[in-house]
């Protein structure tokens, strides 16, 4: 089993603050757990604990057509993941399919099961520059029929790294040494979503060289939101840490949009954070 990479653990902590907001409903929210200090006591005047990003089941898409509209209309800008990112070609997957890890530990795209209404993956890249290899980020939004189905999907994702610590992505690329971790944010986990998972390992290319690989997955009611980052060569540990952290922050912007659409009572309406806040603001 691979070690828990400090860069990913640190990024998980940064996510607690990545969704800071000045109070606008269409911006990522502020940290949702109150600060704890020595000698603090409970009182009626204590700051309330806000709810995590979520989507109520009765406000989520109920048909395949509505779910496809939901995932297609969700705004995910390349710069959510950092400066210089752009769309890859091909950019979007078929929302009537999703990625499945077979018993042979090979990823394939297959038709959706009855418990999934739509699943859309979008691909982004930070092009190679100044001797640094490209970074590939993918983000997948999946609408399940209900919360139970989404929870089962989260549980299945956690099991996959145990079943297949080495996974074949395609004919040439694979990931190995995978380490999955649930409740990555410890006591503060719920500041982001209803459930969350993180995974780290190494991305091995056709030339046999290994580079960092990161994965996050959130559940917001019956919707799951997953992202991966395949790091390019030539980066320092600090630069790799930035890639990981920025991917996680980008996910919080998407989670905030899903949350605000649900609270507006229309899961089909578009919403977008109007200002991206830096960690710690």
């Amino acid at each position: 089993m691979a070690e828990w990479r400090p860069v990913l653990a640190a990024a998980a902590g940064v996510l607690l603050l990545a969704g800071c907001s000045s109070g606008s409903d269409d911006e990522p929210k502020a940290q949702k757990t109150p600060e704890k200090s020595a000698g603090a006591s409970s009182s009626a005047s204590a700051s309330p604990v806000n709810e995590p990003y979520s989507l109520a089941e009765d406000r989520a898409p109920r048909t395949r057509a509505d779910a496809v509209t939901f995932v297609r209309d969700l705004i995910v800008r390349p710069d959510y993941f950092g400066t210089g990112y752009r769309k890859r070609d091909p950019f979007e997957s078929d929302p009537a399919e999703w990625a499945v890890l077979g018993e042979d530990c090979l990823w394939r795209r297959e038709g959706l099961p009855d418990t999934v209404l739509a699943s859309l993956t979008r691909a982004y890249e930070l092009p190679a520059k100044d001797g640094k290899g490209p970074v590939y980020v993918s983000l997948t939004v999946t609408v399940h029929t209900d919360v139970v189905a989404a929870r089962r999907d989260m549980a299945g994702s956690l099991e996959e790294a145990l079943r297949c610590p080495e996974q074949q992505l395609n004919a040439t690329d694979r990931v190995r040494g995978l380490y999955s971790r649930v409740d990555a944010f410890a006591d503060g986990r719920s500041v982001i979503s209803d459930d969350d998972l993180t995974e780290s390992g190494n991305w091995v290319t056709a030339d046999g060289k290994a580079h960092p690989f990161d994965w996050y997955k959130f559940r917001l009611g019956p919707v799951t939101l997953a992202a991966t980052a395949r790091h390019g060569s030539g980066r320092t540990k600090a630069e790799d840490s930035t890639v990981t952290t920025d991917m996680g922050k980008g996910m919080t912007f998407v989670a905030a949009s899903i949350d605000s659409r649900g609270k507006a009572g229309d899961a089909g309406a578009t919403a977008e954070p109007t200002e991206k806040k830096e960690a710690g603001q």
Side-chain angles (χ1 to χ4, degrees):
M1 180 174 288
E3 293 182 359
W4 176 244
R5 290 200 296 113
V7 62
L8 188 57
V14 170
L15 286 180
L16 299 180
L17 298 175
C20 290
S21 168
S22 60
S24 175
D25 288 341
D26 58 355
E27 290 183 327
K29 296 176 184 175
Q31 184 173 345
K32 296 179 177 61
T33 51
E35 296 282 342
K36 292 182 179 180
S37 58
S41 60
S42 60
S43 68
S45 61
S47 299
V49 177
N50 295 327
E51 294 298 320
Y53 292 140
S54 189
L55 180 63
E57 197 169 278
D58 61 356
R59 295 187 175 183
R62 304 304 302 166
T63 67
R64 288 191 183 273
D66 287 345
V68 169
T69 298
F70 176 87
V71 295
R72 285 201 185 282
D73 287 353
L74 190 65
I75 296 172
V76 186
R77 299 200 319 244
D79 66 349
Y80 281 7
F81 306 105
T83 302
Y85 280 83
R86 67 188 184 190
K87 296 178 181 178
R88 290 191 70 193
D89 186 21
F91 174 53
E92 291 185 341
S93 67
D94 183 347
E97 298 178 345
W98 72 341
V100 175
L101 184 64
E103 293 300 321
D104 56 358
C105 298
L106 172 64
W107 284 98
R108 302 176 177 85
R109 294 200 65 81
E110 297 182 358
L112 300 177
D114 292 340
T115 57
V116 176
L117 299 176
S119 184
L120 183 67
T121 297
R122 288 168 168 155
Y124 307 86
E125 68 176 335
L126 180 64
K129 184 178 180 181
D130 299 332
K132 299 179 178 63
V135 175
Y136 301 117
V137 170
S138 68
L139 185 133
T140 302
V141 180
T142 301
V143 181
H144 301 264
T145 52
D146 51 36
V147 170
V148 172
R151 284 176 172 168
R152 287 174 176 168
D153 180 48
M154 295 289 287
S157 294
L158 180 62
E159 183 271 338
E160 285 170 349
L162 300 176
R163 176 168 64 87
C164 295
E166 181 167 323
Q167 301 171 7
Q168 195 73 31
L169 301 179
N170 51 46
T172 59
D173 295 3
R174 68 184 189 276
V175 291
R176 69 185 183 192
L178 291 174
Y179 178 96
S180 285
R181 177 169 171 171
V182 66
D183 195 18
F185 311 135
D187 291 340
R189 182 203 55 76
S190 63
V191 302
I192 299 296
S193 61
D194 295 317
D195 293 312
D196 48 71
L197 302 172
T198 61
E199 187 172 283
S200 66
N202 293 306
W203 165 46
V204 183
T205 55
D207 59 9
K209 295 181 179 179
H211 310 289
F213 173 85
D214 301 321
W215 172 84
Y216 286 129
K217 189 166 186 175
F218 300 160
R219 180 182 65 80
L220 298 88
V223 174
T224 55
L225 176 64
T228 64
R230 289 177 286 165
H231 299 224
S233 60
R235 285 179 169 74
T236 65
K237 289 184 178 180
E239 290 170 329
D240 279 328
S241 179
T242 297
V243 168
T244 302
T245 302
D246 285 349
M247 179 192 75
K249 288 195 291 185
M251 289 184 70
T252 66
F253 303 144
V254 181
S257 294
I258 294 173
D259 180 85
S260 64
R261 288 164 71 173
K263 285 181 168 51
D266 182 4
T270 58
E272 179 183 11
T274 58
E275 180 182 355
K276 295 193 297 180
K277 301 286 187 177
E278 295 299 327
Q281 288 186 319

